[in-house]
Amino acid sequence: AYFDSLNFSNKIKVPALFSCGLDDKVSNPKSTFALFNHLNCDKRMQLYPNEGNDAGKDKQNSANIEFYKEVFELNGN
């Protein structure tokens, strides 16, 4: 069954990193932006203008690691 994540967006308080392929033919990017815009937490979005549903691929893994390091104040020492 389908449910809209906007229904619980007010409960999300943890930092969030989104990735969005603007050329996504499977899941319309508007839904990603809708949730992103409703969040009241530390949030960031990686945009991939020319990619689709699998946006970011290997590039996103590096972005995820850097985000976690920043959020958890990990400096590699």
Side-chain angles (χ1 to χ4, degrees):
Y2 174 80
F3 65 93
D4 196 329
S5 55
L6 291 179
N7 292 327
F8 59 86
S9 62
N10 62 331
K11 297 179 186 284
I12 299 173
K13 305 296 181 205
V14 297
L17 176 64
F18 287 66
S19 63
C20 184
L22 298 180
D23 195 26
D24 193 337
K25 306 290 190 250
V26 176
S27 178
N28 193 314
K30 289 180 183 179
S31 60
T32 303
F33 282 96
L35 176 59
F36 183 84
N37 289 331
H38 277 82
L39 293 180
N40 289 319
C41 62
D42 179 1
K43 60 187 179 182
R44 296 144 202 200
M45 187 179 301
Q46 298 288 122
L47 290 176
Y48 299 96
N50 301 317
E51 296 185 34
N53 195 257
D54 58 351
K57 293 184 184 180
D58 296 331
K59 297 176 281 191
Q60 190 59 41
N61 288 336
S62 298
N64 293 346
I65 290 169
E66 291 305 313
F67 178 73
Y68 294 135
K69 284 181 180 178
E70 183 181 334
V71 167
F72 294 109
E73 299 179 354
L74 303 173
N75 57 17
N77 293 332

